[in-house]
Structures are given as C-alpha cells and as structure tokens.
Amino acid sequence: MIAYLGLGSNLGRREAAVLGALRALEAAGAARVNAVSSLYESDADGIPGAPRFINAVAEVAPLLPAVDLLERLKSIEAGMGRTGGHHESREIDLDLIAYGAEAGVFGALTLPHPRFHSRAYVLIPLREIAPGFVCPRTRTPIASLVAAVGGGPGLERVSGRMVG
C-alpha cells in the first residue's frame, strides 16, 4: 500500500518543519517514508500578503488505516505548533492526498484529498515522485492533472529530490 502526503510550511524554519514532520511521522510509527519530492516555494493559497510556503509531497508506506493516519497527521501538526487554520499562515500543514486506490468519504476524511487536483504545489511534486499516479476517484493521470492547472505559475523548485 502506498499513500501520498502533502507537506507545507510558511512560518519559521519552513524547510526544517517539512523535514521534521516526516521524521515525526516515522518516529510515531504511522508510516515509512519511501521518497520525498524536491522542495517547492509557492504563494500562500488563499492568504493574501502571507509569506510564501515551502511545499513537498512524500510517498509513504502507511502503517495505519487511512482515518488513523489522518488523525496522526493532525497530532503531528499540533505537536509542531500549528496554530493557523485553513486560510491562515501556519508552522506546518500535512494533508493526506491519496491512500492506495481508496476513494470516498470516510467520516472527516475524503479520499483522495478533495482539492489536490487544483493545486500545482501538490501536483508538480507528486508527478516528480510518482509519474504514473492516477487519481483514484476520476482515473485521471497525473500528467493530465498537471496540464489542467497550467504548470504551476508562481511555483519555484528550491531544492533537489530527497529519498526517505
């Protein structure tokens, strides 16, 4: 089973926060990190005037069911000092993008993530580490999803790809 996580930070030591979240995920026994995309810098989506985000996508082997993995991600966010909501700056933002071939609504969890297909800062790093990814809900290949968002204006690669 493979899952994909979106990671972002626009406060404090952004790069350290993203990488620290991955270490915390493994330390918590929630998943094994298989690969991590390059780090990308992007404008703060929906937060006018906010600092830019550092974003990445990680491929993980989950060690928990999807709903429990999401709960652990939220716990890691809280432990790393996340105070901002959806349209606020934040120390860390962790999203469960996809969990295997699962598609649907599972309580507070929607799979795949309901807005991932419109976010270049998720799609471009996802394509980097999973060029064969196909959306579990729509069956749309990642190349078509990237083409639909226009290649990511305002998105800048700031580091090379990392392997977990």
Side-chain angles (χ1 to χ4, degrees):
M1 169 79 66
I2 296 293
Y4 295 98
L5 308 178
L7 304 98
S9 173
N10 77 330
L11 293 177
R13 295 179 51 230
R14 301 170 305 161
E15 296 91 344
V18 166
L19 299 175
L22 290 171
R23 284 192 296 277
L25 185 70
E26 286 191 320
R32 286 187 324 275
V33 176
N34 294 334
V36 182
S37 71
S38 300
L39 296 176
Y40 290 81
E41 192 172 46
S42 66
D43 292 334
D45 188 16
I47 316 171
R52 290 173 55 89
F53 269 84
I54 288 293
N55 297 100
V57 170
E59 178 187 287
V60 301
L63 302 174
L64 299 171
V67 172
D68 295 335
L69 180 57
L70 178 65
E71 186 176 299
R72 189 65 51 92
L73 294 175
K74 298 307 166 197
S75 175
I76 291 168
E77 287 179 338
M80 292 182 69
R82 178 171 175 172
T83 56
H86 289 295
H87 294 290
E88 298 177 34
S89 292
R90 45 204 175 268
E91 295 80 0
I92 192 69
D93 184 28
L94 303 173
D95 289 324
L96 181 53
I97 302 302
Y99 190 94
E102 291 191 30
V105 178
F106 309 92
L109 174 62
T110 301
L111 289 171
H113 189 283
R115 291 174 302 284
F116 92 98
H117 65 279
S118 64
R119 296 174 168 173
Y121 59 85
V122 172
L123 294 175
I124 290 172
L126 176 59
R127 178 183 63 186
E128 182 181 319
I129 62 171
F133 177 84
V134 174
C135 176
R137 181 177 53 243
T138 65
R139 308 306 306 158
T140 307
I142 188 70
S144 297
L145 293 169
V146 170
V149 297
L155 187 67
E156 178 185 350
R157 185 171 176 255
V158 294
S159 83
R161 184 173 166 197
M162 298 164 277
V163 176

